[in-house]
Amino acid sequence: MIRLTALFLLCVVSHNEAATISTETFFKNPDLTAIKISPDGKHFAATTETDGVKKLVILDVNATQILQVFDFSSEKREIGNFGWLNNERIYATMVRKVGPLDQPSPTGFLFAGNINGKKTIQLLPAKSRTKGGNRDIQRPFRILNLLPDDDKHILISLMDDNRFTYAYRLNVYNGRQKVVGKSAEPFSRLMADHSGKIKVSTNSSDDGSEYFIHLWNQAEEQWQLFKKFDDKGINLRPLEFSADNNLLYIENDSGDSGRGIYALDLSSQDYKLIHAINGDADIQALIRDFNQVTPDVIGFTRMPGHVEVEFFDPNHQVAKLYRSLYQSFQGQAINLVNASADGQQVVVRVWSDYNPGNHYLMDLNSNQVKPLFKTLPWIDRRQIPDQLHRT
């Protein structure tokens, strides 16, 4: 078992040492709000908020130098999700804040750029390539697969004017799109396996009384209805494919079979329970292993009043790692944000009711861990506009 507990204890700040702070101060967005490591483990991408504007910054892995700053924001949109397309290129989705709680809502905008500031482009909505041509309208999109083995493309899905959902292979350097799949019915959700093949199409009837799962039949090159559920009280949600792409994991809490995670065998169409779920708390997030090309779902988090973690196999390496982290950061929640392609460097987020969130870099080769945000107080935010790369 990895000996991490003693190292992590050195990084924990005692609750008793925290000064009393006002509600206004507590709910302010921290300067650095999120951080992710590059596939090669040499850089970080992080979102930072300065003067109410959220920007995306690139740092070297030692957090000693800001290499680039991207500002994709406008008056009506700001950076939502972000990540790495390959070792030299990042992406950022854009959201707008709506409602009294400023909840993020998708805008249909997707940007990409190299970490040296070059080849920055608006990927979505697509811009016309002809002089005087019209720009594509804003449509909500989903990233189906980042295609880790393909540095130039990702898979996305978009709904067209006739309400069918299409899957596109999107070039992340020039924005060109190629249709690679179409949903079985209108108003559907498409799912791609880890190899990038479109295999599942799901949709509900207009009145919500029926739920359909279609599976792609490769031999006949057409959709086939796997199952139709006739219960208005149904709560069935396909989650993800297994590492070998043979199983589809589905959350199901309807009917007499009991709530849990089920595995659908795509070849035999056998459907069986693999992990029972007690209580009615929703699944907040899936936990995956560190394989970046064919990740496998190994557990999930829920929040029945507190963060609760469940693993399919408690002896899995990642499950043991979580237990070690929880022992070190007692009373706090743990999230393994992302890992390098070799799975040896992992970004960890720790938070609680008295800690709005700290990030750490964990090196599984050396058993070393270091706080990330605490290594950045030297950054003068007033200098950021001088290094800014806008698009």
Side-chain angles (χ1 to χ4, degrees), residues 172-187:
V172 298
Y173 285 90
N174 59 32
R176 290 190 175 90
Q177 302 173 13
K178 179 181 179 182
V179 176
V180 294
K182 178 185 176 182
S183 62
E185 300 288 344
F187 299 102

Side-chain angles (χ1 to χ4, degrees), residues 202 211 213 229 233-238 250-254 271:
T202 63
Y211 184 83
I213 298 180
F229 299 87
I234 191 171
N235 187 354
L236 188 148
R237 182 166 65 108
I250 299 175
E251 179 190 3
N252 187 351
D253 66 356
S254 59
Y271 187 68

Side-chain angles (χ1 to χ4, degrees), residues 306-323:
H306 61 280
V307 177
E308 186 176 280
V309 180
E310 296 185 32
F311 288 95
F312 304 158
D313 177 9
N315 293 318
H316 192 283
Q317 177 190 10
V318 177
K320 294 179 180 179
L321 185 57
Y322 260 89
R323 286 197 294 271

Side-chain angles (χ1 to χ4, degrees), residues 158-170:
L158 286 165
M159 189 176 294
D160 69 357
D161 293 335
N162 63 14
R163 305 310 181 192
F164 278 85
T165 302
Y166 286 81
Y168 296 88
R169 193 177 187 88
L170 173 66

Side-chain angles (χ1 to χ4, degrees), residues 182-384:
K182 178 185 176 182
S183 62
E185 300 288 344
F187 299 102
S188 294
R189 177 192 175 196
L190 291 175
M191 294 184 67
D193 67 12
H194 299 306
S195 69
K197 296 178 180 177
I198 307 301
K199 285 189 173 180
V200 178
S201 176
T202 63
N203 67 287
S204 297
S205 58
D206 292 340
D207 61 1
S209 64
E210 295 179 319
Y211 184 83
F212 305 88
I213 298 180
H214 289 84
L215 303 179
W216 181 254
N217 186 313
Q218 184 62 44
E220 298 182 11
E221 295 188 344
Q222 64 180 6
W223 290 109
Q224 290 187 342
L225 179 64
F226 162 66
K227 197 162 188 177
K228 177 176 69 172
F229 299 87
D230 300 313
D231 185 2
K232 285 190 176 181
I234 191 171
N235 187 354
L236 188 148
R237 182 166 65 108
L239 300 173
E240 195 164 308
F241 291 90
S242 60
D244 59 10
N245 293 322
N246 292 328
L247 303 176
L248 175 64
Y249 297 128
I250 299 175
E251 179 190 3
N252 187 351
D253 66 356
S254 59
D256 299 327
S257 53
R259 185 184 183 197
I261 305 297
Y262 290 74
L264 167 63
D265 189 307
L266 298 177
S267 297
S268 66
Q269 298 194 356
D270 289 339
Y271 187 68
K272 65 179 182 180
L273 176 70
I274 61 171
H275 185 88
I277 301 177
N278 298 317
D280 57 2
D282 293 335
I283 291 178
Q284 299 290 318
L286 299 176
I287 300 175
R288 302 168 178 83
D289 61 21
F290 297 148
N291 189 317
Q292 304 300 298
V293 179
T294 57
D296 205 4
V297 176
I298 57 175
F300 54 88
T301 61
R302 297 195 298 158
M303 193 173 290
H306 61 280
V307 177
E308 186 176 280
V309 180
E310 296 185 32
F311 288 95
F312 304 158
D313 177 9
N315 293 318
H316 192 283
Q317 177 190 10
V318 177
K320 294 179 180 179
L321 185 57
Y322 260 89
R323 286 197 294 271
S324 179
L325 287 164
Y326 275 112
Q327 289 174 9
S328 298
F329 295 100
Q330 293 186 14
Q332 301 194 71
I334 306 295
N335 178 28
L336 304 185
V337 179
N338 83 315
S340 56
D342 61 7
Q344 297 305 303
Q345 297 186 76
V346 184
V347 174
V348 181
R349 180 173 181 256
V350 180
W351 78 100
S352 67
D353 56 349
Y354 60 87
N355 173 17
N358 290 324
H359 284 74
Y360 301 85
L361 180 63
M362 177 171 54
D363 190 324
L364 297 184
N365 281 319
S366 62
N367 267 10
Q368 292 184 344
V369 62
K370 63 180 180 180
L372 293 177
F373 286 3
K374 292 181 181 179
T375 64
L376 303 175
W378 49 267
I379 296 177
D380 185 350
R381 304 299 169 188
R382 293 171 299 181
Q383 295 180 2
I384 285 182

